[in-house]
Amino acid sequence: MNILLTGASGQLGTELYPLLSQLGDVTALDLHPGQHGSIAQDLSDLHRFEILLNRLRPNLVVNTAAYTAVDQAENNHELAFRLNAELPACLARWCNSNHRRLMHFSTDYVFDGSGQSAYRENDPTAAINIYGESKRAGELAIQTSACHYLIVRTSWVYSTHGSNFLLTMLRLASQRPELGVVSDQSGCPTWARNLAKASVQMLLAMQSEQDWEQHSGIFHYCDATITTWHDFARMIFEKAAEQGILQTVPMLKAIQSSDFPQLATRPKYSVLDTQAIQDRFGIAPPDLDWSLSECLKDYQE
């Protein structure tokens, strides 16, 4: 199988590449050439990208590329929609016309966060920022394209590379004696490696044309522990100190979202219900305690 992986140097792309390589020949794309021998490709240039698709003709497209700068999206509406909505639409059209398959990744930010129970796949969406709106537009473009697809919504992704909350907290811990972290937003921190493994498990289960016809749709995956940014930070510091990564731990102060103004409004509650992915694919998300410990071991190495 020939596989095209976009966003190859991102948090998820980095974890997916070695796993996808066990399924077939992977061509990796990214804005800048780098690891995995990726091809430099500006994915916002959809015309050139479609020419590349016609040349490569992958059997499966795995799209992890996205505009993920949530605050910057408020002032970069056009680019956010180009990468998060128009690019998935382009992929879906091509996959449908060429009878290929598409795996795409989306976000908990398609919901407004006003709920009090975990969001299911068919719950109404109501994004409250440009990033969430653009990602939902990408979902809709794929859903209405008639292509065979899997859309995986996830949340609060962290890893040992890229830009994420874990690395930010470890950096700030070495710079400041005290940190204020938001305590009124709840979600499920998700290790990129767990998400990558779950994604490949889904692909392995979708072997036949009938599987793709019957089970194309949206699925939620996040790790199992519900927490706040404040408690996630506390856990990071505790485990990093235990593993010798941090010599001193800053004092943590719980603050409200209103005390930390940002351009984009964040959902207060964005927990995803993962029952559907457990029932259909037998995927059991691990908890934060184990996942964070394993991730920090990688950080040390």
Side-chain angles (χ1 to χ4, degrees):
M1 181 164 60
N2 293 318
I3 303 168
L4 180 65
L5 172 65
T6 68
S9 66
Q11 292 192 81
L12 180 56
T14 298
E15 297 290 351
L16 270 172
Y17 182 85
L19 300 178
L20 291 173
S21 296
Q22 298 173 24
L23 305 183
D25 296 323
V26 181
T27 300
L29 299 183
D30 210 282
L31 184 59
H32 305 289
Q35 58 184 338
H36 318 313
S38 58
I39 299 172
Q41 177 71 33
D42 180 2
L43 297 178
S44 67
D45 188 337
L46 299 181
H47 176 68
R48 287 182 178 274
F49 181 47
E50 194 158 358
I51 293 173
L52 182 63
L53 283 172
N54 286 322
R55 178 165 66 84
L56 296 174
R57 301 196 63 79
N59 306 107
L60 169 69
V61 179
V62 180
N63 181 41
T64 73
Y67 188 97
T68 58
V70 177
D71 288 313
Q72 294 176 30
E74 297 296 306
N75 293 323
N76 289 285
H77 181 282
E78 184 176 348
L79 184 56
F81 270 83
R82 176 67 61 86
L83 292 174
N84 294 344
E86 294 175 32
L87 172 62
C90 172
L91 286 170
R93 285 194 304 271
W94 187 88
C95 286
N96 183 50
S97 298
N98 293 276
H99 307 290
R100 300 313 205 251
R101 297 161 181 174
L102 172 64
M103 173 173 267
H104 174 74
F105 295 87
S106 193
T107 174
D108 55 322
Y109 278 27
V110 300
F111 300 109
D112 64 8
S114 63
Q116 297 182 343
S117 59
Y119 286 100
R120 296 180 179 178
E121 287 80 355
N122 58 356
D123 284 340
T125 57
I128 56 176
N129 54 48
I130 296 297
Y131 169 69
E133 288 178 8
S134 65
K135 292 296 287 184
R136 179 54 182 154
E139 292 181 357
L140 288 170
I142 294 170
Q143 288 178 291
T144 57
S145 71
C147 78
H148 291 163
Y149 69 92
L150 289 171
I151 296 173
V152 184
R153 288 185 186 138
T154 191
S155 69
W156 294 24
V157 178
Y158 67 92
S159 67
T160 59
H161 38 265
S163 176
N164 61 74
F165 186 78
L166 169 65
L167 296 183
T168 298
M169 288 299 103
L170 292 176
R171 174 175 55 81
L172 292 177
S174 65
Q175 299 172 351
R176 303 181 187 177
E178 181 177 315
L179 285 174
V181 180
V182 170
S183 63
D184 62 349
Q185 296 174 22
S186 297
C188 298
T190 302
W191 186 19
R193 185 167 302 169
N194 291 340
L195 175 58
K197 288 179 177 178
S199 302
V200 170
Q201 189 170 334
M202 294 172 74
L203 292 173
L204 287 171
M206 302 281 277
Q207 290 296 313
S208 69
E209 191 74 13
Q210 186 177 18
D211 287 329
W212 285 91
E213 288 176 357
Q214 292 182 349
H215 301 293
S216 283
I218 296 176
F219 292 90
H220 288 173
Y221 179 86
C222 58
D223 288 346
T225 303
I226 303 171
T227 189
T228 65
W229 290 117
H230 174 271
D231 287 343
F232 185 24
R234 176 185 52 77
M235 199 168 182
I236 290 169
F237 294 152
E238 288 177 355
K239 288 191 173 294
E242 289 172 4
Q243 293 177 215
I245 296 169
L246 292 178
Q247 302 306 311
T248 59
V249 173
M251 183 178 296
L252 265 181
K253 178 183 177 183
I255 64 173
Q256 300 296 295
S257 299
S258 57
D259 298 325
F260 187 65
Q262 296 173 291
L263 282 175
T265 305
R266 267 67 169 177
K268 290 293 184 70
Y269 184 88
S270 56
V271 175
L272 300 177
D273 187 309
T274 60
Q275 193 60 52
I277 206 170
Q278 294 183 52
D279 292 344
R280 170 65 186 89
F281 297 102
I283 294 169
D287 63 24
L288 178 58
D289 184 77
W290 177 85
S291 301
L292 181 56
S293 294
E294 293 299 304
C295 184
L296 287 173
K297 288 177 185 177
D298 274 7
Y299 179 86
Q300 285 177 296
E301 294 172 1

